[in-house]
Amino acid sequence: MPRTDRVKIQCWHRNSLNERVFGWHEVNVTDALQLGEKKGRCVECDNPVKIFNPGKNGEAAHPEHYNRNPACSLSDVDDANRPPSYKLRTN
């Protein structure tokens, strides 16, 4: 299963016109944790995710979907349970 080190969080940031706006912004998981964020959105499917701290066993900080999403390659779902349309996209 692929992992990502990116997550979307709601925060103030600068847009392409250098204007300060509040909204969803893609950041590194470590940066999100430093900002105190524990929840966010998946960078691929935009579904809610929980942000996990690094594990004591060496596992890196990462987001996990609250509810498994078979249509998202970053979700914790066995390939056998993914819809046929997903399998066609990834080949």
Side-chain angles (χ1 to χ4, degrees):
M1 164 187 41
R3 287 280 173 134
T4 182
D5 65 346
R6 308 291 293 171
V7 67
K8 292 180 188 176
I9 60 169
Q10 282 192 308
C11 63
W12 286 98
H13 61 278
R14 300 265 176 197
N15 66 11
S16 61
L17 300 174
N18 205 28
E19 301 168 326
R20 196 163 181 252
V21 295
F22 186 80
W24 292 104
H25 187 64
E26 187 176 322
V27 297
N28 185 292
V29 172
T30 305
D31 294 339
L33 289 168
Q34 288 176 350
L35 292 170
E37 297 291 335
K38 298 290 183 189
K39 296 184 247 179
R41 294 273 175 182
C42 175
V43 294
E44 182 177 315
C45 69
D46 221 29
N47 282 354
V49 294
K50 181 176 180 182
I51 303 170
F52 286 90
N53 286 308
K56 292 179 181 175
N57 62 354
E59 185 177 20
H62 64 279
E64 286 185 10
H65 289 77
Y66 277 102
N67 298 312
R68 291 179 174 173
N69 180 4
C72 179
S73 69
L74 301 174
S75 187
D76 185 20
V77 178
D78 294 331
D79 283 338
N81 294 327
R82 294 196 189 274
S85 60
Y86 173 82
K87 293 174 186 170
L88 291 174
R89 281 190 322 207
T90 57
N91 290 339

